[in-house]
Amino acid sequence: MKEMFTESDRHFIGLLHDTINRMANNSANCKNWLLAILTAVVAYVASNPESSNLLWLIIIIDVLFYWLDSYYLQLENNFRDLEADFVTKVCNFGTQEAENQDYNKYLYDFNFTRLDKDNVKIVCKNMKKALKSNATWPFYLTILIVALIAYFMISDIDFY
């Protein structure tokens, strides 16, 4: 039985997997950094209650990290789509036609914008998917709610 994937194909798929893993690690690091910043700001405000307005900074940072985390998840999804597209191309062309110019242009091409004729729709679809992901919005929404509760508990504002 003849193998479908050449050594170059396997190497390219390995590079895609490494890139996907880096995007996943970057996404996890966003959460770690946010928790570290959150802890530092809350500790500072707890030791200096007159600086409770700094808790609004957590909300801004939370939104920024939410967008950054979603961006990394979107890139991860784009590279997964690129991998699926590449595997489909290899299966369609086969190893006998490896010399085919259409096949060779996909090898070591990390340009995920070529996945569809309407590239913007794919990128936007993956960004919406990342923003709605259960890996992002519950975590960042919880941080946002905790920051608001902490602000109203520490500050002298009467909210009822």
Side-chain angles (χ1 to χ4, degrees):
M1 183 173 175
K2 207 167 202 175
E3 285 194 39
M4 185 171 294
F5 295 101
T6 65
E7 190 62 34
S8 293
D9 295 338
R10 284 191 209 98
H11 182 63
F12 179 62
I13 291 171
L15 289 174
L16 287 172
H17 280 251
D18 290 344
T19 304
I20 290 167
N21 285 336
R22 277 196 305 276
M23 295 303 118
N25 287 336
N26 289 343
S27 178
N29 284 338
C30 285
K31 293 174 180 72
N32 292 335
W33 274 99
L34 177 64
L35 288 176
I37 292 169
L38 172 74
T39 303
V41 171
V42 169
Y44 180 77
V45 169
S47 65
N48 301 315
E50 65 276 355
S51 61
S52 64
N53 285 335
L54 285 179
L55 289 174
W56 286 106
L57 185 63
I58 292 174
I59 295 169
I60 295 168
I61 293 170
D62 183 58
V63 170
L64 291 174
F65 272 95
Y66 174 56
W67 181 86
L68 186 61
D69 191 358
S70 297
Y71 176 71
Y72 284 128
L73 285 175
Q74 176 235 347
L75 286 176
E76 182 182 338
N77 288 330
N78 288 343
F79 280 107
R80 286 181 194 278
D81 290 346
L82 180 66
E83 179 185 12
D85 187 54
F86 178 75
V87 169
T88 302
K89 296 294 183 206
V90 169
C91 292
N92 288 342
F93 287 119
T95 53
Q96 289 86 0
E97 300 177 27
E99 300 300 318
N100 188 326
Q101 196 173 16
D102 290 335
Y103 169 78
N104 286 332
K105 75 178 183 179
Y106 288 103
L107 193 58
Y108 299 108
D109 180 10
F110 284 88
N111 182 8
F112 52 79
T113 59
R114 67 165 167 73
L115 292 173
D116 193 12
K117 292 177 184 174
D118 198 1
N119 304 324
V120 176
K121 283 185 180 180
I122 287 183
V123 173
C124 289
K125 179 191 85 167
N126 283 341
M127 188 61 172
K128 288 177 188 175
K129 182 179 171 183
L131 286 168
K132 294 179 190 177
S133 171
N134 288 335
T136 55
W137 74 263
F139 177 80
Y140 293 100
L141 181 63
T142 302
I143 299 291
L144 184 70
I145 291 170
V146 167
L148 288 171
I149 290 171
Y151 174 76
F152 287 119
M153 288 179 67
I154 292 174
S155 69
D156 294 333
I157 297 174
D158 293 328
F159 57 92
Y160 52 89

